[in-house]
Each structure stands twice: as structure tokens, then as C-alpha cells.
Amino acid sequence: MPILSLKHISKRYGAIQALSGVSFEVPKGAVFGILGPNGSGKTTLLGIVTDVLKADEGSYSLFDAPPAASLRRQIGTLLETPNFYHYLSAYQNLQIAASIKQRPETDISRVLGIAGLANRQHSRFKTYSLGMKQRLAIASALLGDPEVLILDEPTNGLDPAGIAEVRELILQLAQSGKTIILASHLLDEVEKVCSHVAILQQGKLLLSGPVNEVLAREDFVELSAADN
Ligand code: ATP
């Protein structure tokens, strides 16, 4: 059963065609990378499947069913940097997040543990490293124990240590059975973290499938050369 299935999704902003007829499926248990340069339509695509934006054409299903609010509760999202309070602790910040998202407060210790932040949960957010801040953002997306996580450029703006920590956390979550969909403009990141990839260029899907198969294709070499 695919977790997400897109059929001919198109979206335009005025004269800009952000997505043109994009179709692909995300299998259960995948770490699915949406790879493409800036402006290729990654954020627009994630916006559509999280119901922040409406597609002009096409349709998609979640868990093999039409998208419904009840299914959306099974999806945790990190689409932009959360507004955490610098003078509150990680725990207090997640209390606020749990209240806004209507997730049980009893879940906070669990997600802090998964993100490796249990021993610093009472430290103020402002004392956190970049990697810890982003791990807290992922912990917040994990409140309520969703089956799927959708992350937009999760390592953007981090230092090398933070990038390594966040990639490690993503791999750990995948091992625990979560399906993860992430946007990235870094081929290197997709190779290190993802099992599957869909490559977007100027709003069109160029290739998709298991990472090892896609990267082994002859036409992939030309394509990555054209992107850089
Ligand atoms: P980035 O990594 O820079 O966010 P992206 O691959 O996520 O890039 P999108 O942000 O989806 O790409 O943008 C796709 C295209 O749509 C780009 O040409 C962008 O300029 C345009 N676009 C995105 N949002 C809007 C908007 N609200 N109004 C007008 N054009 C937009």
C-alpha cells in the first residue's frame, strides 16, 4: 500500500508553472527524497500534500484513500522553522506545541527521548546548538506518534555537526518504522539518507524510484550535470 500517491499534480502561480503533471508513489517505510534545485517545486509539492496549498489539477491519496482530516493526524510535518521561545526550556516549548497541535502532553518525554534531548529537556532553548534546535523541531513533529513525517529541507542552515545529527535521527526514525518524505537540493544528502527519490526540475518529474536504481541510470549523469 503506498503511503502517498500523486496523480498528475499541477500548480501555477500566475505566469509561473511551479508543478506540471507530477505523478509518483511513496511506499510504506521509505525515506523518500524529493530532490531538485531551488525553484524546482519541492516546497509547492509538500504544501499540496499537507493541504497548505491546493493543486490546480490532479489528485493524491494518503494511505490509499482520499485525503481526509483523520488521515492527516497520521502525518507529522516540519515545513518551516518553528517559533520556539528562546527563554523557555525544550520541555516547555513542546508543552505549547502539544497544546496547539492538540496532541497529548504525556507524549512529550517520549519524543524528547527519541530526539536524544532527554538530558537537556529543562535547559533553555537558547542554549541549544543548531543541531539540537532542529532535533527539537523534529521531536515536535513526532508528537502524537504519526506514522509519516514530512520534512522540508531538514538540514538547511545547520553546521556540519547538526547536519550529521539530524541525518542520524532521520535514519533512526526510519529504522523504527516511520515513513519519511523529505525535500532536499543536495544529491549527497539523498544518497546518504534516502531509500527512494523523485527528481524534480522546473516543476516536472524527471525520474523516480529506489535511489540505487535511479542513480545507476545512464540518463541520471547528464541530468545531475545539467543541474549543477
Ligand atoms: P526552494 O528550495 O527555493 O524553496 P523549491 O524547489 O521548494 O525551491 P518552490 O518553492 O516550490 O520550489 O517554487 C517553485 C516555483 O514557484 C519557483 O519558481 C518559485 O519562485 C515559484 N513560487 C513559489 N511560491 C510562490 C508564490 N507564493 N507566488 C509566486 N510564485 C511562487
Side-chain angles (χ1 to χ4, degrees):
M1 175 190 77
I3 290 288
L4 168 68
S5 175
L6 301 176
K7 294 201 177 73
H8 311 296
I9 295 280
S10 295
K11 173 77 182 173
R12 85 176 20 252
Y13 301 102
I16 296 169
Q17 188 74 42
L19 293 171
S20 313
V22 173
S23 304
F24 61 79
E25 286 190 348
V26 176
K28 186 174 165 58
V31 181
F32 197 101
I34 298 172
L35 175 67
N38 287 347
S40 56
K42 305 181 296 296
T43 300
T44 300
L45 191 63
L46 296 187
I48 288 169
V49 301
T50 53
D51 207 27
V52 175
L53 294 170
K54 293 272 173 251
D56 297 328
E57 288 165 48
S59 63
Y60 67 97
S61 56
L62 297 174
F63 308 101
D64 231 8
S70 56
L71 298 175
R72 294 194 186 286
R73 286 189 75 79
Q74 279 308 315
I75 302 178
T77 58
L78 176 55
L79 300 182
E80 50 194 45
T81 311
N83 288 318
F84 288 127
Y85 293 92
H86 288 229
Y87 286 90
L88 297 183
S89 69
Y91 191 93
Q92 289 167 323
N93 270 296
L94 287 196
Q95 279 181 311
I96 295 168
S99 153
I100 293 169
K101 296 179 189 193
Q102 298 184 313
R103 306 291 195 189
E105 201 180 314
T106 48
D107 211 25
I108 295 172
S109 298
R110 185 186 67 85
V111 298
L112 284 167
I114 292 171
L117 297 170
N119 62 346
R120 290 288 307 278
Q121 62 183 305
H122 299 302
S123 305
R124 284 179 175 179
F125 179 75
K126 72 181 192 105
T127 66
Y128 272 27
S129 68
L130 290 174
M132 291 167 76
K133 286 176 176 167
Q134 187 67 337
R135 284 190 280 137
L136 183 64
I138 293 174
S140 179
L142 287 169
L143 286 168
D145 202 16
E147 199 179 326
V148 180
L149 270 188
I150 297 186
L151 311 170
D152 194 0
E153 302 266 8
T155 62
N156 246 16
L158 301 183
D159 50 17
I163 291 172
E165 288 167 28
V166 166
R167 288 180 181 171
E168 183 62 36
L169 177 56
I170 290 169
L171 289 172
Q172 178 199 322
L173 290 167
Q175 285 247 314
S176 77
K178 303 264 181 240
T179 302
I180 297 168
I181 301 169
L182 64 91
S184 179
H185 63 278
L186 302 170
L187 173 60
D188 167 59
E189 177 150 285
V190 167
E191 281 185 288
K192 288 203 169 95
V193 176
C194 297
S195 61
H196 292 70
V197 63
I199 302 177
L200 287 181
Q201 196 175 42
Q202 293 180 349
K204 295 201 175 89
L205 179 76
L206 291 183
L207 293 169
S208 70
V211 166
N212 51 2
E213 286 177 25
V214 169
L215 302 195
R217 281 177 55 142
E218 280 176 24
D219 43 350
F220 174 72
V221 179
E222 284 169 42
L223 180 160
S224 49
D227 270 2
N228 291 326

